[in-house]
Amino acid sequence: MRSRDLSYSCYTRFYGLVIPDFENFWDKLEDIDECLVNNGGCDHFCRNTVGSFECSCQKGYKLLTDERTCQDIDECSFERTCDHTCINYPGSFECLCHKGYTLYGLTHCGDIDECSISNGSCDYGCLNTMGSYECVCPPGKKLHWNKKDCVDSENSYTLSCGVPVQQGKAQQKHNATLPSCAGGQFPCTDNCQVTFVNLKCDSSKKKRRGRKSPSKEVSHITAEFEVEMKSEEVSDTCNIDCVRKRMEQKLQTAIKTLRKSINKQQFYIQFSGTEYEVAQKPAKATEGHEACSTGQVLQDGKCGQCSPGHYSSDGFKPCRVCPLGTYQPEPGRTLCFPCGGGLVTKYEGAVSFQDCETKVHCSPGHYYNSTTHRCIRCPVGTYQPEFGQNYCITCPGNTSTDFDGSTNVTHCKNQHCGGELGDYTGYIESPNYPGDYPANVECIWNINPPPKRRILIVVPEIFLPIEDECGDVLVMRKSASPTSITTYETCQTYERPIAFTSRSRKLWIQFKSNEGNSGKGFQVPYVTYDEDYQQLIEDIVRDGRLYASENHQEILKDKKLIKALFDVLAHPQNYFKYTAQESKEMFPRSFIKLLRSKVSRFLRPYK
């Protein structure tokens, strides 16, 4: 009997029907393609099935419980999406890092080592800090107002907020003959010396007098001057009013200096009951020129710092052009950087090392060695994205590269094996996830549930390259012994989720990568549950209907829904936290129907 005759025989016996023209019967039965009419009512995609159809959504969207409507997934509402700042977009999201940090591994932020980038443009030494850096100077030099150049510190005052600073008498003494003070009884002499200066700082919120501006935080600097009187006949040689006037003149000079190097908009100093405003002196706006901004001074009717390619003794105009063989990429500097190795520049006023006429032109992933005049590959743990540079950038944070000669920060990868292992819920994560994992890495995790609890694992998706013969492997078994009971093992990419229970009470998990390939890897959550529910849990996860529908697959990828499911599985009493309405709003009807039938059969088997 032919196979089709056999099918016909069974079919007619089951239904008690006689169909004489069987050959033409199957041809006359046609499935209706619901997707042809208004896309089946689906927002995005419609897939026809035998006797029905199914809606699905674009990546970055999820299907609502009406199984028709697609809604944007707000990735920023998930835990651990971005290290710093997360911005949600329709169908996508973006991670941003705080100042002084850079993005790696798609979502992670690492400290930028500014000192690896041309020594932070520091004149002398550079000290990297978290989120920032500092330039330092050798003994006998002090840091210029631009915070990068080192200048002579002779005849300078050292003042620290809230810390008394004893000045040397050799520095304090002035030999110039001073004129008589107006209104004073005696002339000012050098018998009165300022030997102690103390600055105290505090801040408070208060309204500035005469202003209608709202309350704002105001900083106060209190300066205390201690005067040493040398003469025995103090009243004859040191008129206190005269000294005050003299110090006021000194203060005016100091204020002019502060105006040059000020970083903030303005602040106030109070001296002898008089309040002084220390702020950028506004320049009269001239045609084509606006008032000077903070940190600039008025010169010849124009205001500004020295532009890149130029320098001056104080960083302000008038400026000199950087000579041949040097360059300066920043404004307001007191020096130009030499190309080194006897190299010259194409022209005066060069602004970059790339203007130096090197013997060879280095490609990205390399740096120019001015001593050997060769291009050197950036070592492991560094990268260089540009042509013709003389440095490599150190990878951010605790990341490194797989190979030397890296050209992009995306090659910097965290080597740390990720995850959180809890008694009830937790997850394991490949290093650098969701960025590509590093080469030659090995991770070991051990999940040890509390007594009378078993482990349920969900693998939403896993990305392991298949170009080689299982070079990168994830394995889960009872112990480190290769012969112990194995629950799961894969060396491939699977974008379809799978859930399974552990074949052993404890799990030893290992992930290994070789030196050749890399991939996105995985983030695998797990939950421990009461072993009395073993039969129910296995019945659910082994049911093909749990994975047959794309909608059900997306549930196992939805971090919030998985968290809700695990919340109930770990602590069944939490089931009552969710109302029937909430469950309907979270899960599609088909999914709730699948679970309800199994739970009912498990709890009431004889009904």
Side-chain angles (χ1 to χ4, degrees):
M1 182 180 291
R2 293 179 304 163
S3 60
R4 178 165 282 192
D5 291 335
L6 178 63
S7 301
Y8 168 75
S9 176
C10 295
Y11 184 85
T12 53
R13 279 204 301 269
F14 182 78
Y15 285 99
L17 300 174
V18 176
I19 303 174
D21 190 6
F22 179 78
E23 294 290 339
N24 295 325
F25 172 74
W26 294 105
D27 297 333
K28 292 178 181 178
L29 281 178
E30 290 186 7
D31 173 60
I32 298 173
D33 188 349
E34 295 88 350
C35 296
L36 296 177
V37 181
N38 193 29
N39 198 40
C42 302
D43 267 4
H44 290 175
F45 306 121
C46 180
R47 185 174 69 89
N48 187 56
T49 61
V50 177
S52 186
F53 69 100
E54 189 177 81
C55 298
S56 60
C57 300
Q58 298 172 4
K59 188 174 179 62
Y61 292 82
K62 66 178 179 179
L63 198 67
L64 297 185
T65 54
D66 64 3
E67 303 188 21
R68 300 285 189 280
T69 308
C70 292
Q71 183 185 68
D72 169 57
I73 298 172
D74 182 4
E75 291 88 355
C76 296
S77 65
F78 302 152
E79 295 178 358
R80 306 183 302 271
T81 298
C82 297
D83 283 356
H84 288 176
T85 304
C86 183
I87 301 176
N88 186 61
Y89 297 111
S92 183
F93 71 99
E94 181 182 8
C95 293
L96 301 177
C97 297
H98 299 157
K99 185 179 179 181
Y101 293 81
T102 190
L103 196 68
Y104 72 88
L106 302 178
T107 64
H108 302 293
C109 296
D111 169 59
I112 299 172
D113 183 0
E114 294 88 352
C115 296
S116 69
I117 307 172
S118 290
N119 196 42
S121 289
C122 297
D123 176 12
Y124 181 70
C126 184
L127 179 65
N128 186 57
T129 60
M130 291 301 292
S132 186
Y133 74 105
E134 297 175 7
C135 294
V136 294
C137 294
K141 297 272 189 177
K142 69 172 184 178
L143 207 58
H144 187 256
W145 61 263
N146 61 28
K147 301 296 184 184
K148 293 187 177 181
D149 295 335
C150 295
V151 295
D152 292 334
S153 57
E154 294 176 3
N155 299 324
S156 65
Y157 290 94
T158 304
L159 305 179
S160 301
C161 253
V163 180
V165 178
Q166 185 72 45
Q167 296 284 359
K169 292 186 179 180
Q171 280 185 297
Q172 298 294 340
K173 192 166 183 177
H174 300 275
N175 297 318
T177 303
L178 296 171
S180 299
C181 295
Q185 184 179 359
F186 302 100
C188 286
T189 69
D190 279 335
N191 289 335
C192 304
Q193 300 294 336
V194 177
T195 60
F196 177 86
V197 179
N198 184 34
L199 288 182
K200 297 177 181 177
C201 294
D202 68 87
S203 61
S204 60
K205 285 194 174 182
K206 61 190 298 184
K207 285 191 176 181
R208 302 218 300 261
R209 288 178 294 178
R211 304 283 178 94
K212 293 184 179 180
S213 60
S215 299
K216 63 183 295 184
E217 188 167 307
V218 180
S219 296
H220 305 278
I221 298 178
T222 305
E224 297 178 356
F225 297 86
E226 183 178 299
V227 180
E228 179 183 309
M229 302 179 182
K230 297 179 181 178
S231 175
E232 293 180 1
E233 297 181 12
V234 175
S235 59
D236 292 337
T237 60
C238 191
N239 183 301
I240 192 66
D241 291 330
C242 184
V243 172
R244 181 179 290 114
K245 188 69 176 177
R246 179 181 176 183
M247 290 311 303
E248 192 168 340
Q249 291 170 350
K250 285 179 177 283
L251 183 64
Q252 293 286 8
T253 304
I255 287 174
K256 289 180 182 178
T257 304
L258 283 168
R259 244 186 222 119
K260 280 179 133 185
S261 60
I262 191 169
N263 291 324
K264 299 288 185 182
Q265 285 291 332
Q266 59 185 15
F267 60 89
Y268 300 90
I269 291 180
Q270 199 169 63
F271 178 76
S272 299
T274 305
E275 188 177 76
Y276 295 86
E277 179 177 346
V278 182
Q280 174 57 47
K281 192 173 184 178
K284 292 182 179 179
T286 57
E287 189 175 349
H289 296 284
E290 297 182 356
C292 292
S293 62
T294 299
Q296 297 178 329
V297 294
L298 189 67
Q299 290 279 355
D300 302 324
K302 299 178 181 179
C303 50
Q305 302 172 1
C306 292
S307 58
H310 298 75
Y311 73 104
S312 72
S313 59
D314 61 1
F316 290 109
K317 293 182 178 180
C319 309
R320 288 181 284 177
V321 67
C322 288
L324 291 174
T326 67
Y327 62 95
Q328 179 50 262
E330 298 179 339
R333 299 299 295 267
T334 66
L335 52 84
C336 298
F337 295 103
C339 292
L343 298 175
V344 297
T345 50
K346 303 168 187 175
Y347 38 72
E348 291 183 332
V351 298
S352 168
F353 178 79
Q354 292 166 322
D355 296 323
C356 300
E357 294 192 307
T358 55
K359 308 294 183 184
V360 290
H361 192 57
C362 297
S363 61
H366 299 75
Y367 72 98
Y368 187 84
N369 186 312
S370 297
T371 302
T372 62
H373 297 288
R374 296 175 58 190
C375 293
I376 310 296
R377 288 174 67 86
C378 288
V380 170
T382 68
Y383 65 99
Q384 176 51 259
E386 298 181 19
F387 283 93
Q389 293 292 358
N390 61 338
Y391 63 89
C392 295
I393 305 171
T394 300
C395 279
N398 296 319
T399 63
S400 186
T401 59
D402 291 338
F403 311 101
D404 60 1
S406 293
T407 59
N408 199 287
V409 68
T410 58
H411 299 157
C412 298
K413 303 172 184 177
N414 195 323
Q415 313 289 311
H416 176 70
C417 300
E420 293 179 8
L421 305 181
D423 283 346
Y424 298 100
T425 60
Y427 69 97
I428 62 169
E429 188 176 81
S430 55
N432 205 54
Y433 183 88
D436 288 351
Y437 53 78
N440 291 315
V441 71
E442 180 179 17
C443 296
I444 301 291
W445 299 273
N446 285 283
I447 303 177
N448 298 312
K452 295 197 67 178
R453 296 188 75 83
R454 307 281 294 194
I455 305 168
L456 168 66
I457 292 176
V458 173
V459 181
E461 54 187 8
I462 183 168
F463 299 90
L464 302 179
I466 55 175
E467 283 78 12
D468 58 9
E469 297 180 357
C470 283
D472 303 343
V473 184
L474 175 66
V475 60
M476 305 180 186
R477 57 177 180 248
K478 183 177 181 180
S479 69
S481 171
T483 59
S484 63
I485 300 172
T486 300
T487 293
Y488 179 80
E489 183 171 5
T490 187
C491 58
Q492 298 187 46
T493 292
Y494 291 102
E495 296 190 51
R496 289 170 61 97
I498 184 173
F500 52 87
T501 57
S502 171
R503 294 180 63 201
S504 53
R505 206 185 70 81
K506 297 180 180 181
L507 267 187
W508 177 88
I509 304 175
Q510 179 195 47
F511 171 65
K512 289 182 70 174
S513 66
N514 67 5
E515 73 285 348
N517 299 320
S518 187
K520 181 180 177 181
F522 53 86
Q523 186 184 74
V524 174
Y526 72 88
V527 63
T528 67
Y529 59 92
D530 192 315
E531 62 183 20
D532 290 342
Y533 291 90
Q534 176 75 9
Q535 183 181 340
L536 172 62
I537 300 299
E538 289 193 357
D539 187 24
I540 293 173
V541 299
R542 291 179 179 178
D543 193 317
R545 290 176 296 170
L546 186 64
Y547 317 101
S549 164
E550 283 191 27
N551 302 339
H552 292 182
Q553 292 176 31
E554 291 303 315
I555 290 172
L556 297 179
K557 293 184 179 183
D558 190 310
K559 293 183 178 180
K560 286 190 174 180
L561 294 184
I562 280 292
K563 186 176 180 180
L565 278 175
F566 281 9
D567 184 40
V568 173
L569 289 175
H571 309 283
Q573 66 272 19
N574 288 342
Y575 171 78
F576 300 102
K577 289 196 313 184
Y578 300 96
T579 64
Q581 184 60 32
E582 284 177 324
S583 297
K584 288 180 181 179
E585 291 173 356
M586 286 193 297
F587 302 104
R589 290 186 297 271
S590 55
F591 188 79
I592 293 176
K593 183 178 178 182
L594 172 67
L595 292 184
R596 184 185 293 125
S597 63
K598 294 181 180 298
V599 172
S600 298
R601 190 162 57 247
F602 178 79
L603 296 178
R604 294 174 291 183
Y606 305 112
K607 187 171 180 179

